[in-house]
Amino acid sequence: TLLYTIKFECNPMNSHEQNRQTLNSIYFAKPLPYSQVRASVSEEFNRKPASDDLEQKAAGEWDDRVRENPRIFNGTKFRLGGWHVKHGHVTSTADMVDIVDIVTPSDDGTTEFIMNVGFTDYKENITSSLSTFREELAVYGTQHYSDSQACLADVVANAALLVTSDNLALIQLRSQLVGDHQGLWHFPGGHAEPGEIGVESGDDLRKVESEEVVGEVFGSLVREMKEEINLGDQYLSEPRLLGICRYNSVHKPELHFLMFVNLTAREVTELYDAEDFTDFESEDIAFWDVSQLGISDKKTFDLLKFTKGDSLSPEVISVGVGNLAPCSAKLVQGVQMVLRYNPDLFSDHGFNDG
């Protein structure tokens, strides 16, 4: 339920032009291509240490998680230390949960989205943003750094609304073996990996170019589609940035993208079934009709599952809203908001004719 809407134009004095942390989610009425996204890379945006007691608590929680699931391992990640927008018209919409900024990019292509990027790692992700005491870390950050996110990992995670040629969005059933969102339905994605561009924790971030980071953020999604679904880049459109959501009690961020695949849902399923992913990150895939994409005032939603054989009709499975990963629920809500400003969101598939 919308409570109020405020419209204002971004300018150099506007908060959206400042390098500061914001707890708002943000979505673009017209998703942004790679060329309109930049990264401001600095150690200033690394996670800050909490008290010795809280850091020891984190170490103990990590040890417990590894004992429970030996497949979990640590690795360097990029950290999102906030963002700002240049040259875009912003509509802030407050609902009963949080505030979402909808940005209408300028017609001349000058709108830019700038991410503030530092270092963190997967261990810090598990033991801060996803920990049992994450609210304590947020309070410590507010008290000691004037920033509730300062002691949280805020890993640069991403997910894509991947739309097939028959207008169905792919969604995965997460494995019980992964580090988070186990057994929940989740849109495909993962993390940008610093190692893919030759960067490790402790390296001088001043030597890391914006184009390298943004290239990995976008490129990691294409890589995940191959690794998790068996979709090569010959089938995929270029990712476009749809927005960033904030979710859970400490406003964990996740970057959301819009992508298209020039195959039907049945053809995608055939490629997925050609590989064995049961011991990896997903146990199954299904599809959500984009014309029915929504969870407002619903307890369940319907997914379509295609199986091997000659049957032309997919199986319809009803899923409880509680079985949808919270960040994926935010993606659905973000898309619903964008569609109010851009009803043709799914018309521009990004493939070149011929």
Side-chain angles (χ1 to χ4, degrees), residues 57-298:
K57 199 171 181 178
E61 185 159 314
W62 174 254
D63 291 341
D64 291 342
R65 292 292 295 272
V66 172
R67 276 193 295 270
E68 293 169 4
N69 185 358
R71 293 169 59 99
I72 295 176
F73 61 94
N74 196 16
T76 303
K77 304 293 180 185
F78 288 120
R79 179 178 185 272
L80 190 63
W83 59 76
H84 59 289
V85 175
K86 288 186 176 181
H87 310 301
H89 188 86
V90 180
T91 302
S92 291
T93 301
D95 61 23
M96 297 188 70
V97 179
D98 55 14
I99 298 176
V100 178
D101 293 339
I102 302 293
V103 178
T104 302
S106 58
D107 293 334
D108 59 7
T110 58
T111 297
E112 288 187 319
F113 179 73
I114 297 95
M115 303 180 291
N116 301 330
V117 177
F119 271 143
T120 185
D121 56 39
Y122 191 67
K123 176 181 177 180
E124 289 184 342
N125 181 47
I126 292 293
T127 61
S128 65
S129 301
L130 296 173
S131 75
T132 56
F133 57 95
R134 55 188 181 236
E135 290 88 356
E136 295 178 60
L137 291 168
V139 169
Y140 187 92
T142 300
Q143 293 175 341
H144 293 268
Y145 300 103
S146 300
D147 177 5
S148 63
Q149 306 306 109
C151 302
L152 301 168
D154 279 1
V155 164
V156 177
N158 54 36
L161 191 74
L162 179 68
V163 181
T164 64
S165 61
D166 45 355
N167 290 317
L168 301 176
L170 184 146
I171 191 166
Q172 297 171 292
L173 181 61
R174 296 273 285 177
S175 165
Q176 295 291 341
L177 302 174
V178 295
D180 59 339
H181 307 311
Q182 301 96 329
L184 298 179
W185 289 95
H186 188 286
F187 293 107
H191 298 101
E193 302 290 350
E196 291 289 332
I197 59 172
V199 179
E200 294 296 336
S201 180
D203 289 351
D204 187 350
L205 286 176
R206 292 173 297 180
K207 297 179 180 178
V208 181
E209 298 291 336
S210 168
E211 292 80 4
E212 294 179 293
V213 175
V214 176
E216 169 55 17
V217 170
F218 278 67
S220 62
L221 263 179
V222 176
R223 190 170 62 242
E224 293 284 352
M225 297 304 167
K226 177 60 179 176
E227 294 176 352
E228 295 187 12
I229 310 170
N230 198 27
L231 288 175
D233 58 9
Q234 71 269 30
Y235 302 116
L236 301 170
S237 70
E238 293 290 331
R240 285 177 287 176
L241 181 63
L242 188 60
I244 300 181
C245 82
R246 291 283 194 179
Y247 75 98
N248 87 8
S249 60
V250 292
H251 310 287
K252 188 179 188 300
E254 183 174 88
L255 281 71
H256 290 159
F257 290 80
L258 179 63
M259 296 179 69
F260 295 88
V261 54
N262 59 4
L263 299 170
T264 65
R266 186 176 295 278
E267 290 169 332
V268 171
T269 301
E270 289 172 354
L271 284 173
Y272 177 85
D273 288 341
E275 297 288 335
D276 183 6
F277 292 101
T278 55
D279 196 34
F280 199 48
E281 295 200 7
S282 67
E283 295 181 357
D284 204 354
I285 62 170
F287 297 85
W288 200 335
D289 186 338
V290 296
S291 68
Q292 304 297 318
L293 202 62
I295 54 174
S296 300
D297 302 320
K298 292 183 179 179

Side-chain angles (χ1 to χ4, degrees), residues 21-49:
Q21 190 68 277
T22 173
L23 300 184
N24 296 5
S25 296
I26 183 170
Y27 285 91
F28 296 93
K30 184 177 181 180
L32 298 183
Y34 163 86
S35 59
Q36 290 177 252
V37 180
R38 293 197 294 112
S40 175
V41 188
S42 171
E43 293 179 0
E44 172 189 352
F45 306 123
N46 289 1
R47 176 185 173 270
K48 304 296 191 293

